[in-house]
Every structure is written in structure tokens, then in C-alpha cells.
Amino acid sequence: GAGVSQSPSNKVTEKGKDVELRCDPISGHTALYWYRQRLGQGLEFLIYFQGNSAPDKSGLPSDRFSAERTGESVSTLTIQRTQQEDSAVYLCASSRRETQYFGPGTRLLVL
Amino acid sequence: SQELEQSPQSLIVQEGKNLTINCTSSKTLYGLYWYKQKYGEGLIFLMMLQKGGEEKSHEKITAKLDEKKQQSSLHITASQPSHAGIYLCGADGIRGSTLGRLYFGRGTQLTVWP
């Protein structure tokens, strides 16, 4: 079946602009995760949704970052007033049980 | 701070050679995952280990978790150019609190030259 999809693939924006990243999880996967991968660094956890439970937002680096998920479907990650340090690959993953399956990521470049 | 240490950071081998990548944690691992990432792509799931002493193989890749569940190794036999990429280990439950999120090592960059 179809894997996790993310859009856009690439995004270039100017400092101070807002951006919205989208993730379509694998159908039937109740859990959805967002991670960030900055150049030369490991993956950083951002936020985790599990069913109808309150999301785990403990990884969000600042209040400029927010995410929403509608039921067990699409999620959007919004970054307000982008900064150059927000430049990274944003990866989304979904899971039904333990194993997380990742999307191709969105490459964000903030100029 | 880094939860998982991977070694080596980079590895260059000739096609046909065997190689090993290590992933070490200072705390007990409850679930250890190996992923492969190619430039510009997402992470591809390879294997998951949960039990001490567990070993799994897929094609020419073998992953092991030690008895103490603090170290895992990924071994590639007779490497091929298609094995090139970044190998990442991820673990859950290190902090024994939040379920779901994975903690990752920084990755090992593997280059295989013909």
C-alpha cells in the first residue's frame, strides 16, 4: 500500500514568513510523529499524536511551532515567523504498533 | 545530550567487504530500530530488536542486540554499492517515560566503492 507522504518536497521561504508542512500517514496508523533533521545533526523529536489523546508536544523548540492532526488522518506542522535556524528536513512518521514508517521529508530553507 | 552513540561516524569500504556499525546506550534499550537513509529521502525501516541476545537478518544485513540490551550492531556481509547511505539507530523507552517517540543516534555514513 501507499507509504507516508509529505508535501511540499522542498520549501524555500524568507525569514519571518509562516510555513505549513503537510503529512499524510499510512491508512490505519493511529500514531503520527514529526521529527526535524538539521544539517550534521541527528533527528530531533518534535511532536507525537496518538489517536484522540492529547499530543505530546514536549519536543517543539518554541511557541512558533505548532501542529494539528484531524482524527487519524492528515497532520500539518506550522512554523510561524521562520528563522534561519529552522532550516532543516522535516520528517513525518506513522505507526500502527511499534515500528515507525517515515515519509520522504520536506526540505525547508529559510533565507 | 545525545542518548545513543553510533560508531563509526563514517565508513568507506570496498565492494565485497564486510562491515559493522555499532550503537551504544548508557541505559537499557526497550526497543532498538535500525533505519537506512539515502540523501534526499526519508528513513527506510530495516529491523527492530527487543529481546536481549536477539538477532535478525534480512538479505545480507544482520542486526544484533546484546544480552544487557545496551548495545546493538549492524553487520553487512559482502557489501555492495546499493548498501551506501546513512544508517541510523533509534530507540524508545530510554527515559522510561513517554511512549512512542524515538531517540536517534547521529548516524553512520557508509560509502561503498566498486
Side-chain angles (χ1 to χ4, degrees), chain A residues 35 37 45 48 56 58 100 103, chain B residues 35 37 42 98-102:
Chain A
Y35 295 87
Q37 186 177 34
F45 165 77
Y48 159 51
D56 175 4
S58 59
Q100 296 180 23
Chain B
Y35 289 88
Q37 184 179 31
T98 305
L99 296 176
R101 59 187 294 180
L102 292 179

Side-chain angles (χ1 to χ4, degrees), chain A residues 33 35 37 40-46 48 56 58-59 89 91 97-105 107, chain B residues 2 33 35 37-45 48 50 86 88 92 98-106:
Chain A
Y33 316 77
Y35 295 87
Q37 186 177 34
Q41 299 186 24
L43 272 75
E44 303 170 69
F45 165 77
L46 297 177
Y48 159 51
D56 175 4
S58 59
V89 177
L91 291 160
R97 296 173 67 181
E98 300 94 350
T99 301
Q100 296 180 23
Y101 295 92
F102 284 78
R107 292 186 170 276
Chain B
Q2 199 71 28
Y33 304 78
Y35 289 88
Q37 184 179 31
K38 288 202 166 185
Y39 182 79
E41 299 178 15
L43 278 66
I44 300 168
F45 170 71
M48 177 185 72
Q50 289 184 307
I86 300 172
L88 293 153
D92 56 19
T98 305
L99 296 176
R101 59 187 294 180
L102 292 179
Y103 298 85
F104 284 91
R106 290 202 172 189

Side-chain angles (χ1 to χ4, degrees), chain B residues 6 11 14 26 35 37 49 51 62-63 65 75-76 97 104:
Chain B
Q6 276 189 247
L11 196 53
Q14 186 177 18
S26 58
Y35 289 88
Q37 184 179 31
L49 304 166
K51 300 176 183 177
T62 300
L65 183 62
H75 185 78
I76 299 178
S97 55
F104 284 91

Side-chain angles (χ1 to χ4, degrees), chain A residues 2-111:
Chain A
V4 178
S5 60
Q6 292 185 245
S7 60
S9 302
N10 296 279
K11 177 72 177 179
V12 180
T13 190
E14 294 180 346
K15 178 181 174 181
K17 299 285 188 182
D18 297 352
V19 296
E20 194 171 277
L21 312 180
R22 177 187 169 108
C23 172
D24 284 87
I26 295 171
S27 178
H29 282 195
T30 57
L32 186 147
Y33 316 77
W34 284 98
Y35 295 87
R36 176 172 73 174
Q37 186 177 34
R38 288 189 282 191
L39 191 63
Q41 299 186 24
L43 272 75
E44 303 170 69
F45 165 77
L46 297 177
I47 188 168
Y48 159 51
F49 296 91
Q50 173 63 61
N52 295 319
S53 302
D56 175 4
K57 303 179 181 180
S58 59
L60 295 178
S62 76
D63 58 9
R64 296 186 296 105
F65 287 72
S66 63
E68 292 183 350
R69 186 183 186 193
T70 306
E72 294 184 355
S73 60
V74 173
S75 174
T76 54
L77 177 69
T78 302
I79 308 174
Q80 295 178 311
R81 305 181 302 282
T82 52
Q83 304 294 313
Q84 289 181 332
E85 62 264 28
D86 298 334
S87 296
V89 177
Y90 288 82
L91 291 160
C92 174
S94 70
S95 70
R96 186 169 61 87
R97 296 173 67 181
E98 300 94 350
T99 301
Q100 296 180 23
Y101 295 92
F102 284 78
T106 293
R107 292 186 170 276
L108 175 66
L109 178 61
V110 182
L111 301 176

Side-chain angles (χ1 to χ4, degrees), chain B residues 7-111:
Chain B
S7 63
Q9 288 186 341
S10 65
L11 196 53
I12 302 174
V13 300
Q14 186 177 18
E15 182 177 0
K17 297 294 185 182
N18 302 336
L19 63 104
T20 300
I21 298 169
N22 293 300
C23 177
T24 303
S25 170
S26 58
K27 300 181 180 179
T28 301
L29 298 165
Y30 291 94
L32 190 287
Y33 304 78
W34 283 100
Y35 289 88
K36 178 185 175 184
Q37 184 179 31
K38 288 202 166 185
Y39 182 79
E41 299 178 15
L43 278 66
I44 300 168
F45 170 71
L46 297 175
M47 277 172 274
M48 177 185 72
L49 304 166
Q50 289 184 307
K51 300 176 183 177
E54 187 174 11
E55 179 176 321
K56 288 186 178 178
S57 294
H58 177 67
E59 296 182 343
K60 294 184 178 180
I61 300 176
T62 300
K64 300 178 184 179
L65 183 62
D66 74 340
E67 289 289 345
K68 291 185 178 180
K69 295 174 63 176
Q70 287 187 289
Q71 184 168 0
S72 179
S73 61
L74 187 79
H75 185 78
I76 299 178
T77 303
S79 58
Q80 300 170 357
S82 61
H83 288 128
I86 300 172
Y87 288 81
L88 293 153
C89 64
D92 56 19
I94 289 180
R95 295 181 181 174
S97 55
T98 305
L99 296 176
R101 59 187 294 180
L102 292 179
Y103 298 85
F104 284 91
R106 290 202 172 189
T108 295
Q109 172 79 55
L110 172 63
T111 303

